[in-house]
Amino acid sequence: MTRTLVLDDVSKTFPTGTVALDGVSLSVAAGEFVTVVGPSGCGKSTLLRLASGLDEVTGGEIEVNATSTSYVFQEATLLEWRSALRNVELAGELRGAAKPDRRRRAQEALDLVGLSGFEKQHPRQLSGGMRMRVSIARALVAEPDLALFDEPFGALDEITRLRMQTELQSLFELKNFAGLFITHSVSEAVYLSTRVVVMSGRPGRVVADIPVPWSYPRPPELRYEPEFAALTGEVSAALGEHS
Amino acid sequence: MSAAAVNAPAADTQSGTRDVVAQAPARAGVRRGLVSAGAKVWPLLAAVGGIVAVWYAVTYLVLSPERRFLLPPLHQVIGTTVGNPNIMGPMLDALGQTVGVALSGLAIAVVLGIGYAVVMVQAGWVEKILYPYAVILQTIPILALTPLIGIWMGYGFSARIVVCVIIALFPMIANTLFGLQSAGPAAHDLFTLNRATRAQRLFKLQFPAALPSIFTGLRNAAGLSVIGAIVGDFFFQQGLPGIGGLLRVYTLRLNMDALFTAIILTALFGVAVFSVFAALDRAVIGRWYGRGAP
Ligand SMILES: Nc1ncnc2c1ncn2[C@@H]1O[C@H](COP(=O)(O)OP(=O)(O)O)[C@@H](O)[C@H]1O
Ligand SMILES: [Mg+2]
């Protein structure tokens, strides 16, 4: 199995003196969906910024074996003046893809997230859940080998959030990228991922790495099963001991 | 098969938007446009009516007959001037002159202001160096500077345009700069991750994000350039006559009817300029964000 993303003893100290990460080692292989949970401010976003190349490590090494990496932000981060379709097209446009090609791919991605018929709508005309779907479509349109998600469902209401989890799971099954997903919801972490990585409070360190056994697709009812509760309990305990 | 595709998101569409989508959206947009135009026009007409009412009240109720020349009744003002080509002819020529100066000054201020802001936004240190000049330009009272401009440049068209540009430039610079900096850090990250060039970032992110602020700047600059043109007329009596020059002449001659007509004309010009840019603002920004756009 190729390891798409490898963090080896990674540290990050900001010029302000804040030590955000201290010796984090972590890898994500193709076909893995790894979720990172940790208390707020422990360096989760910093971890993703380092993995994506938006920021540089101050210690350790990062290895990325992906031709294409995508990033889904906490907010949908859509361009208000562009329609849904043209927002999804943006990445291709910036990278110089031919218009018919990038438009066709954008349309396919929108269809995939269930937004057929909403191509011409502007972000202000869409609900929060739909905006996040556009954002995910924009990330998947580049057919990424590595997909990074920074608490993408954190701002959504509970019902939309649960539905988005199911949808994201189907997309992962379909596209089979290596996923690294940040959340502060333990249930979301267990439901979505093949592995849950627990981080301590600042400076962030990996304190537990818990595999999740179930195969996909996972039915939404799985959340009510005793095994599910047992696993979320294990993750919560690891979180509680180190925050 | 993906469950995402099966999950139709119709349920979490904001109601209302859905209705507009279901009906012919273009029609709904036009109708809404007319309604809002009407909603904007009526208060303005009511305000004009209010001003006329106060005018007559002062003329007939406050002023005694021997002092009534200070504020002659509106119908007398219009009656003695509007029908008289010897008065109206020069006045309209002068107004045309002033309009030309104001619009040319505005056009130059828009181009310079946007350009200056674009240069400033390229790097933090560039902004630090260039911004103080804009502030100084703003803080020097234009009345103190105008006579000097006349001495240096003469009293013609170009000197008056310079006065307009100086007075209208700052709101263009400040609003454009604010707008160019309004795109959030995550949006910038998105462009960085997609290896956007500096030009792509400017034209596909910063400029579109700045458009609403640029229109705010434009509205302010338009009003100020009208003032600038009249200030220029006022100081530069020797050159071409503008409506501001006539204001001064009528004042010296105590030609009250002509003076009030000239004031009304300049006010109408100011309102017209403001309304045009406000309407342009609404139309463009509405379309930009997909409101009422087909
Ligand atoms: N650019 C920065 N400069 C200085 N400190 C930062 C910067 N970015 C984040 N931090 C600090 O690093 C710590 C971790 O931040 P972050 O990765 O955003 O945490 P999380 O996403 O887990 O909530 C916080 O204390 C935050 O204040
Ligand atoms: Mg964060």
Side-chain angles (χ1 to χ4, degrees), chain A:
Chain A
M1 222 168 24
T2 50
R3 297 200 297 172
T4 312
L5 173 68
V6 183
L7 280 76
D8 184 17
D9 200 23
V10 164
S11 299
K12 175 68 184 179
T13 307
F14 285 105
T16 52
T18 307
V19 182
L21 296 172
D22 184 20
V24 171
S25 294
L26 172 72
S27 72
V28 186
E32 266 195 309
F33 196 101
V34 175
T35 299
V36 177
V37 288
S40 140
C42 75
K44 304 185 294 298
S45 297
T46 304
L47 189 79
L48 281 201
R49 291 180 65 82
L50 295 176
S52 68
L54 278 172
D55 214 338
E56 292 186 351
V57 300
T58 49
E61 270 176 36
I62 293 185
E63 185 189 328
V64 179
N65 302 304
T67 46
S68 168
T69 302
S70 72
Y71 200 122
V72 178
F73 302 91
Q74 181 155 8
E75 305 290 327
T77 318
L78 302 178
L79 305 183
E80 299 268 335
W81 51 90
R82 285 181 171 233
S83 66
L85 186 69
R86 295 202 57 235
N87 262 292
V88 178
E89 240 183 280
L90 181 73
E93 197 177 319
L94 292 176
R95 287 158 182 270
K99 191 168 178 175
D101 183 46
R102 65 177 198 237
R103 186 145 287 189
R104 180 180 50 77
R105 286 159 164 274
Q107 181 65 56
E108 284 169 10
L110 274 182
D111 293 345
L112 203 61
V113 298
L115 284 181
S116 314
F118 292 90
E119 298 82 3
K120 293 207 164 72
Q121 302 285 295
H122 279 63
R124 285 191 184 180
Q125 299 165 313
L126 300 173
S127 69
M130 294 168 88
R131 281 199 291 271
M132 190 43 81
R133 283 194 185 87
V134 176
S135 189
I136 291 174
R138 182 181 62 199
L140 296 184
V141 77
E143 299 286 341
D145 306 310
L146 175 64
L148 307 171
F149 301 86
D150 190 357
E151 302 194 36
F153 306 151
L156 302 178
D157 63 86
E158 188 64 12
I159 295 170
T160 310
R161 184 177 183 140
L162 294 182
R163 193 162 64 214
M164 296 292 293
Q165 290 174 9
T166 309
E167 292 182 16
L168 180 61
Q169 204 186 85
S170 327
L171 290 171
F172 171 65
E173 233 195 317
L174 190 73
K175 296 290 181 182
N176 217 41
F177 44 77
L180 183 59
F181 188 99
I182 306 292
T183 180
H184 53 244
S185 158
V186 172
S187 138
E188 182 167 273
V190 171
Y191 179 69
L192 281 178
S193 47
T194 54
R195 210 144 50 79
V196 180
V197 170
V198 180
M199 281 175 68
S200 66
R202 210 180 68 215
R205 289 193 199 90
V206 175
V207 293
D209 195 330
I210 301 167
V212 182
W214 309 295
S215 63
Y216 300 103
R218 298 174 182 168
E221 301 77 46
L222 177 65
R223 296 190 185 91
Y224 314 121
E225 301 293 336
E227 310 95 89
F228 191 87
L231 210 50
T232 54
E234 194 181 329
V235 174
S236 299
L239 261 178
E241 279 169 33
H242 298 277
S243 52

Side-chain angles (χ1 to χ4, degrees), chain B residues 22-49:
Chain B
Q23 298 158 7
R27 276 254 185 106
V30 169
R31 206 181 308 130
R32 233 179 315 162
L34 289 179
V35 168
S36 74
K40 292 272 169 7
V41 164
W42 283 114
L44 188 64
L45 289 181
V48 170

Side-chain angles (χ1 to χ4, degrees), chain B residues 99-171:
Chain B
V99 168
V101 170
L103 295 185
S104 314
L106 176 63
I108 294 172
V110 167
V111 172
L112 284 183
I114 292 177
Y116 201 79
V118 165
V119 171
M120 269 198 286
V121 88
Q122 294 307 311
W125 61 269
V126 180
E127 187 189 339
K128 276 208 191 71
I129 292 173
L130 292 185
Y131 200 73
Y133 292 99
V135 173
I136 289 168
L137 188 74
Q138 163 76 353
T139 45
I140 294 179
I142 190 68
L143 296 182
L145 212 54
T146 306
L148 183 64
I149 293 168
I151 293 173
W152 283 349
M153 303 195 56
Y155 304 109
F157 204 60
S158 49
R160 292 166 194 223
I161 287 177
V162 167
V163 174
C164 269
V165 171
I166 289 174
I167 201 170
L169 194 54
F170 185 77

Side-chain angles (χ1 to χ4, degrees), chain A residues 73 77 79 90 94 138, chain B residues 185-194:
Chain A
F73 302 91
T77 318
L79 305 183
L90 181 73
L94 292 176
R138 182 181 62 199
Chain B
H188 277 283
D189 285 345
L190 178 68
F191 275 66
T192 307
L193 287 167
N194 286 293

